[in-house]
Amino acid sequence: MLNLILRTIPGLTLALVVLISPARAQPASCILGAFTLPLLGGSGDAPLLPATMQGKPVALYYSTTVDGLYGGDITPYAGEDTNTRTSLLLDGVKGDDYSIFKPERLKLGDLELGSPGMVRLNAFPARFIGSRPVIGVIGPSFFAKLSVLLDLPHGVFALIRFSDDASCKNARADFLGAGEAAFPLDTQDRARITLNGIERAVMLDPNRAVNTLPRAWAAASASDGSPNRNKPATVQAVLPITGAPGIADTSFHLEDGTEPTETDRDISHSGERDRAPPAAGLGLEFFERHVVLFDYPKNTVYFLPSRHRREDAGSALRFPHRLQNLGPNIMPPPFSGWPLTPVYPAMVGRTQPF
């Protein structure tokens, strides 16, 4: 079970994540530091991070399927055009002539990101979460040397630095607690599962509304054998480990095409589609029922089923796209020297059980 210690900084309340489960105790030194943010929005919204650009409150989608920082027009936030252009793969389509901007000062809470390169999309969808404009989307490349916690059931995003000491080899699993399941991540950050006796790669994308599965994979497992593509079918995903209730029996929407059906017409691109196999993915409906820890240093993802649900209704705010920069490398090295907040041994308050 997780506990939260709350502290307040101007404009935000942050929570320090600490482990309290006596049944799975570990040395306090196994967690070297944590930085947490409250997720904005509510049920039906993808992860939305509170941020500031040039001191002005904004929000960023957090997406596991983009490789950097992308967004719309940031000139109102002192964004500088670098007069550099790049090419992208956007949902498998190659497009050219995207501008690269630099925000003057970008922060997540009180975490300074500096002025990273930001690719301006041709028509980034204009959305608001409360009074904050959603000005972009950020991916895990910034945090490749840290573990990223996506806890949508409790509305928490966290960056965690675990110790590599030999005594802490089980620290990630112990952090989540009994019932967690761990899976290796491949080079595209997809989880490897066994489905109908065959090992498969599954995208982990909380910006997709539903879980998707290629129809050909599920043909022998459809609950009613119906060929109706719009009707969900339950398949039995035989996972490579035990003790993971709530994961093995998962409802998927069957897909025939190369991409899940959810799109955003505001995003424009041109070029020829690179044909790819139909996508399998665990989407927002899965993330809203699980606490998920991406341990990028160890190339592993951990799941823990959760009974908790976000109480507030959302506005279907999602960025359901894959983005890869094909041009100049504008990503700074993954931040490893951030002064992550120490994890305090004291206990104040208690989250509801997972």
mmCIF file of all heavy atoms in Angstrom, residues 284-308:
data_model
loop_
_atom_site.group_PDB
_atom_site.id
_atom_site.type_symbol
_atom_site.label_atom_id
_atom_site.label_comp_id
_atom_site.label_asym_id
_atom_site.label_seq_id
_atom_site.Cartn_x
_atom_site.Cartn_y
_atom_site.Cartn_z
ATOM 1 N N LEU A 284 -6.659 3.417 -22.017
ATOM 2 C CA LEU A 284 -7.051 4.135 -20.813
ATOM 3 C C LEU A 284 -7.950 3.286 -19.919
ATOM 4 O O LEU A 284 -7.842 3.352 -18.685
ATOM 5 C CB LEU A 284 -7.769 5.434 -21.203
ATOM 6 C CG LEU A 284 -8.230 6.325 -20.056
ATOM 7 C CD1 LEU A 284 -7.054 6.799 -19.222
ATOM 8 C CD2 LEU A 284 -9.015 7.524 -20.601
ATOM 9 N N GLU A 285 -8.828 2.476 -20.513
ATOM 10 C CA GLU A 285 -9.720 1.680 -19.681
ATOM 11 C C GLU A 285 -8.945 0.690 -18.813
ATOM 12 O O GLU A 285 -9.408 0.290 -17.747
ATOM 13 C CB GLU A 285 -10.768 0.961 -20.524
ATOM 14 C CG GLU A 285 -10.218 -0.039 -21.520
ATOM 15 C CD GLU A 285 -11.336 -0.709 -22.329
ATOM 16 O OE1 GLU A 285 -12.501 -0.597 -21.913
ATOM 17 O OE2 GLU A 285 -11.034 -1.320 -23.364
ATOM 18 N N PHE A 286 -7.754 0.284 -19.262
ATOM 19 C CA PHE A 286 -6.888 -0.563 -18.446
ATOM 20 C C PHE A 286 -6.167 0.262 -17.388
ATOM 21 O O PHE A 286 -6.107 -0.116 -16.208
ATOM 22 C CB PHE A 286 -5.880 -1.275 -19.335
ATOM 23 C CG PHE A 286 -4.949 -2.204 -18.597
ATOM 24 C CD1 PHE A 286 -5.325 -3.507 -18.329
ATOM 25 C CD2 PHE A 286 -3.714 -1.765 -18.161
ATOM 26 C CE1 PHE A 286 -4.469 -4.365 -17.637
ATOM 27 C CE2 PHE A 286 -2.864 -2.611 -17.471
ATOM 28 C CZ PHE A 286 -3.241 -3.915 -17.215
ATOM 29 N N PHE A 287 -5.601 1.419 -17.793
ATOM 30 C CA PHE A 287 -4.828 2.244 -16.863
ATOM 31 C C PHE A 287 -5.701 2.785 -15.737
ATOM 32 O O PHE A 287 -5.203 3.010 -14.627
ATOM 33 C CB PHE A 287 -4.149 3.386 -17.611
ATOM 34 C CG PHE A 287 -2.876 2.997 -18.302
ATOM 35 C CD1 PHE A 287 -2.909 2.369 -19.538
ATOM 36 C CD2 PHE A 287 -1.643 3.237 -17.713
ATOM 37 C CE1 PHE A 287 -1.739 1.998 -20.185
ATOM 38 C CE2 PHE A 287 -0.465 2.870 -18.349
ATOM 39 C CZ PHE A 287 -0.507 2.247 -19.579
ATOM 40 N N GLU A 288 -6.986 3.004 -16.007
ATOM 41 C CA GLU A 288 -7.859 3.514 -14.949
ATOM 42 C C GLU A 288 -8.207 2.443 -13.923
ATOM 43 O O GLU A 288 -8.813 2.749 -12.897
ATOM 44 C CB GLU A 288 -9.138 4.094 -15.557
ATOM 45 C CG GLU A 288 -8.894 5.390 -16.311
ATOM 46 C CD GLU A 288 -10.147 6.162 -16.612
ATOM 47 O OE1 GLU A 288 -11.179 5.522 -16.939
ATOM 48 O OE2 GLU A 288 -10.101 7.419 -16.535
ATOM 49 N N ARG A 289 -7.793 1.212 -14.173
ATOM 50 C CA ARG A 289 -8.050 0.114 -13.241
ATOM 51 C C ARG A 289 -6.765 -0.493 -12.687
ATOM 52 O O ARG A 289 -6.811 -1.520 -12.018
ATOM 53 C CB ARG A 289 -8.894 -0.967 -13.925
ATOM 54 C CG ARG A 289 -10.325 -0.518 -14.194
ATOM 55 C CD ARG A 289 -11.047 -1.483 -15.125
ATOM 56 N NE ARG A 289 -12.479 -1.166 -15.199
ATOM 57 C CZ ARG A 289 -12.989 -0.188 -15.940
ATOM 58 N NH1 ARG A 289 -12.186 0.568 -16.680
ATOM 59 N NH2 ARG A 289 -14.286 0.047 -15.950
ATOM 60 N N HIS A 290 -5.633 0.127 -13.003
ATOM 61 C CA HIS A 290 -4.357 -0.406 -12.535
ATOM 62 C C HIS A 290 -3.408 0.730 -12.161
ATOM 63 O O HIS A 290 -3.426 1.797 -12.777
ATOM 64 C CB HIS A 290 -3.682 -1.252 -13.623
ATOM 65 C CG HIS A 290 -4.410 -2.517 -13.942
ATOM 66 N ND1 HIS A 290 -5.502 -2.560 -14.775
ATOM 67 C CD2 HIS A 290 -4.205 -3.797 -13.523
ATOM 68 C CE1 HIS A 290 -5.939 -3.799 -14.869
ATOM 69 N NE2 HIS A 290 -5.179 -4.565 -14.122
ATOM 70 N N VAL A 291 -2.577 0.474 -11.177
ATOM 71 C CA VAL A 291 -1.416 1.313 -10.907
ATOM 72 C C VAL A 291 -0.274 0.737 -11.727
ATOM 73 O O VAL A 291 0.002 -0.466 -11.674
ATOM 74 C CB VAL A 291 -1.065 1.304 -9.405
ATOM 75 C CG1 VAL A 291 0.150 2.178 -9.140
ATOM 76 C CG2 VAL A 291 -2.251 1.770 -8.578
ATOM 77 N N VAL A 292 0.382 1.581 -12.531
ATOM 78 C CA VAL A 292 1.382 1.100 -13.482
ATOM 79 C C VAL A 292 2.708 1.816 -13.222
ATOM 80 O O VAL A 292 2.764 3.042 -13.147
ATOM 81 C CB VAL A 292 0.931 1.348 -14.938
ATOM 82 C CG1 VAL A 292 1.959 0.788 -15.924
ATOM 83 C CG2 VAL A 292 -0.441 0.722 -15.186
ATOM 84 N N LEU A 293 3.761 1.034 -13.076
ATOM 85 C CA LEU A 293 5.100 1.565 -12.842
ATOM 86 C C LEU A 293 5.995 1.166 -14.001
ATOM 87 O O LEU A 293 6.244 -0.025 -14.231
ATOM 88 C CB LEU A 293 5.670 1.029 -11.529
ATOM 89 C CG LEU A 293 7.090 1.487 -11.173
ATOM 90 C CD1 LEU A 293 7.105 2.966 -10.793
ATOM 91 C CD2 LEU A 293 7.667 0.641 -10.030
ATOM 92 N N PHE A 294 6.482 2.140 -14.760
ATOM 93 C CA PHE A 294 7.441 1.908 -15.834
ATOM 94 C C PHE A 294 8.837 2.082 -15.258
ATOM 95 O O PHE A 294 9.230 3.200 -14.888
ATOM 96 C CB PHE A 294 7.244 2.898 -16.979
ATOM 97 C CG PHE A 294 5.964 2.731 -17.750
ATOM 98 C CD1 PHE A 294 4.805 3.381 -17.346
ATOM 99 C CD2 PHE A 294 5.927 1.942 -18.890
ATOM 100 C CE1 PHE A 294 3.622 3.240 -18.066
ATOM 101 C CE2 PHE A 294 4.754 1.798 -19.610
ATOM 102 C CZ PHE A 294 3.600 2.443 -19.196
ATOM 103 N N ASP A 295 9.587 1.002 -15.187
ATOM 104 C CA ASP A 295 10.965 1.089 -14.701
ATOM 105 C C ASP A 295 11.883 1.072 -15.913
ATOM 106 O O ASP A 295 12.299 0.006 -16.385
ATOM 107 C CB ASP A 295 11.279 -0.058 -13.749
ATOM 108 C CG ASP A 295 12.668 0.082 -13.151
ATOM 109 O OD1 ASP A 295 12.971 1.179 -12.641
ATOM 110 O OD2 ASP A 295 13.452 -0.869 -13.229
ATOM 111 N N TYR A 296 12.164 2.253 -16.448
ATOM 112 C CA TYR A 296 12.941 2.338 -17.684
ATOM 113 C C TYR A 296 14.390 1.884 -17.523
ATOM 114 O O TYR A 296 14.932 1.254 -18.438
ATOM 115 C CB TYR A 296 12.857 3.750 -18.249
ATOM 116 C CG TYR A 296 11.468 4.078 -18.758
ATOM 117 C CD1 TYR A 296 10.652 4.993 -18.117
ATOM 118 C CD2 TYR A 296 10.953 3.429 -19.876
ATOM 119 C CE1 TYR A 296 9.372 5.267 -18.571
ATOM 120 C CE2 TYR A 296 9.679 3.697 -20.340
ATOM 121 C CZ TYR A 296 8.895 4.613 -19.684
ATOM 122 O OH TYR A 296 7.626 4.867 -20.130
ATOM 123 N N PRO A 297 15.066 2.151 -16.406
ATOM 124 C CA PRO A 297 16.440 1.640 -16.273
ATOM 125 C C PRO A 297 16.526 0.121 -16.368
ATOM 126 O O PRO A 297 17.528 -0.417 -16.848
ATOM 127 C CB PRO A 297 16.881 2.157 -14.899
ATOM 128 C CG PRO A 297 16.060 3.385 -14.676
ATOM 129 C CD PRO A 297 14.727 3.062 -15.293
ATOM 130 N N LYS A 298 15.497 -0.582 -15.901
ATOM 131 C CA LYS A 298 15.511 -2.047 -15.923
ATOM 132 C C LYS A 298 14.643 -2.620 -17.044
ATOM 133 O O LYS A 298 14.478 -3.848 -17.135
ATOM 134 C CB LYS A 298 15.014 -2.598 -14.581
ATOM 135 C CG LYS A 298 15.823 -2.145 -13.380
ATOM 136 C CD LYS A 298 17.247 -2.669 -13.420
ATOM 137 C CE LYS A 298 17.996 -2.306 -12.151
ATOM 138 N NZ LYS A 298 19.413 -2.764 -12.174
ATOM 139 N N ASN A 299 14.078 -1.758 -17.900
ATOM 140 C CA ASN A 299 13.258 -2.210 -19.039
ATOM 141 C C ASN A 299 12.150 -3.162 -18.598
ATOM 142 O O ASN A 299 11.946 -4.236 -19.168
ATOM 143 C CB ASN A 299 14.135 -2.884 -20.109
ATOM 144 C CG ASN A 299 15.156 -1.941 -20.694
ATOM 145 O OD1 ASN A 299 14.819 -0.827 -21.091
ATOM 146 N ND2 ASN A 299 16.404 -2.372 -20.739
ATOM 147 N N THR A 300 11.415 -2.755 -17.570
ATOM 148 C CA THR A 300 10.359 -3.578 -17.009
ATOM 149 C C THR A 300 9.162 -2.695 -16.687
ATOM 150 O O THR A 300 9.314 -1.523 -16.326
ATOM 151 C CB THR A 300 10.842 -4.282 -15.721
ATOM 152 O OG1 THR A 300 12.031 -5.035 -16.010
ATOM 153 C CG2 THR A 300 9.782 -5.225 -15.172
ATOM 154 N N VAL A 301 7.958 -3.262 -16.834
ATOM 155 C CA VAL A 301 6.741 -2.567 -16.417
ATOM 156 C C VAL A 301 6.040 -3.429 -15.376
ATOM 157 O O VAL A 301 6.051 -4.658 -15.459
ATOM 158 C CB VAL A 301 5.805 -2.279 -17.619
ATOM 159 C CG1 VAL A 301 5.324 -3.557 -18.276
ATOM 160 C CG2 VAL A 301 4.626 -1.402 -17.197
ATOM 161 N N TYR A 302 5.470 -2.769 -14.372
ATOM 162 C CA TYR A 302 4.770 -3.436 -13.285
ATOM 163 C C TYR A 302 3.316 -2.971 -13.269
ATOM 164 O O TYR A 302 3.040 -1.776 -13.433
ATOM 165 C CB TYR A 302 5.415 -3.102 -11.939
ATOM 166 C CG TYR A 302 6.844 -3.562 -11.800
ATOM 167 C CD1 TYR A 302 7.891 -2.793 -12.328
ATOM 168 C CD2 TYR A 302 7.170 -4.746 -11.151
ATOM 169 C CE1 TYR A 302 9.210 -3.209 -12.212
ATOM 170 C CE2 TYR A 302 8.477 -5.165 -11.021
ATOM 171 C CZ TYR A 302 9.497 -4.402 -11.558
ATOM 172 O OH TYR A 302 10.806 -4.806 -11.452
ATOM 173 N N PHE A 303 2.385 -3.904 -13.045
ATOM 174 C CA PHE A 303 0.959 -3.595 -12.936
ATOM 175 C C PHE A 303 0.454 -4.035 -11.568
ATOM 176 O O PHE A 303 0.856 -5.068 -11.049
ATOM 177 C CB PHE A 303 0.129 -4.376 -13.977
ATOM 178 C CG PHE A 303 0.498 -4.131 -15.405
ATOM 179 C CD1 PHE A 303 0.693 -5.200 -16.279
ATOM 180 C CD2 PHE A 303 0.629 -2.848 -15.902
ATOM 181 C CE1 PHE A 303 1.015 -4.997 -17.601
ATOM 182 C CE2 PHE A 303 0.950 -2.628 -17.234
ATOM 183 C CZ PHE A 303 1.142 -3.696 -18.085
ATOM 184 N N LEU A 304 -0.471 -3.264 -11.032
ATOM 185 C CA LEU A 304 -1.183 -3.699 -9.832
ATOM 186 C C LEU A 304 -2.647 -3.302 -9.983
ATOM 187 O O LEU A 304 -2.961 -2.125 -10.152
ATOM 188 C CB LEU A 304 -0.610 -3.040 -8.575
ATOM 189 C CG LEU A 304 -1.279 -3.469 -7.264
ATOM 190 C CD1 LEU A 304 -0.939 -4.925 -6.949
ATOM 191 C CD2 LEU A 304 -0.871 -2.558 -6.119
ATOM 192 N N PRO A 305 -3.575 -4.270 -9.967
ATOM 193 C CA PRO A 305 -4.994 -3.917 -10.055
ATOM 194 C C PRO A 305 -5.406 -3.004 -8.908
ATOM 195 O O PRO A 305 -4.907 -3.126 -7.784
ATOM 196 C CB PRO A 305 -5.707 -5.273 -9.964
ATOM 197 C CG PRO A 305 -4.664 -6.272 -10.366
ATOM 198 C CD PRO A 305 -3.356 -5.718 -9.898
ATOM 199 N N SER A 306 -6.302 -2.063 -9.191
ATOM 200 C CA SER A 306 -6.775 -1.126 -8.186
ATOM 201 C C SER A 306 -8.296 -1.082 -8.188
ATOM 202 O O SER A 306 -8.917 -1.045 -9.252
ATOM 203 C CB SER A 306 -6.219 0.277 -8.451
ATOM 204 O OG SER A 306 -6.765 1.221 -7.546
ATOM 205 N N ARG A 307 -8.868 -1.034 -6.984
ATOM 206 C CA ARG A 307 -10.311 -0.894 -6.859
ATOM 207 C C ARG A 307 -10.729 0.572 -6.798
ATOM 208 O O ARG A 307 -11.910 0.883 -6.881
ATOM 209 C CB ARG A 307 -10.798 -1.606 -5.585
ATOM 210 C CG ARG A 307 -10.521 -3.098 -5.577
ATOM 211 C CD ARG A 307 -11.227 -3.770 -4.420
ATOM 212 N NE ARG A 307 -10.850 -3.214 -3.133
ATOM 213 C CZ ARG A 307 -9.831 -3.656 -2.394
ATOM 214 N NH1 ARG A 307 -9.062 -4.649 -2.853
ATOM 215 N NH2 ARG A 307 -9.566 -3.115 -1.233
ATOM 216 N N HIS A 308 -9.766 1.447 -6.627
ATOM 217 C CA HIS A 308 -10.077 2.868 -6.507
ATOM 218 C C HIS A 308 -10.365 3.460 -7.885
ATOM 219 O O HIS A 308 -9.838 2.989 -8.891
ATOM 220 C CB HIS A 308 -8.896 3.604 -5.862
ATOM 221 C CG HIS A 308 -9.230 4.951 -5.324
ATOM 222 N ND1 HIS A 308 -9.123 6.090 -6.070
ATOM 223 C CD2 HIS A 308 -9.689 5.332 -4.113
ATOM 224 C CE1 HIS A 308 -9.479 7.129 -5.344
ATOM 225 N NE2 HIS A 308 -9.832 6.700 -4.153
#
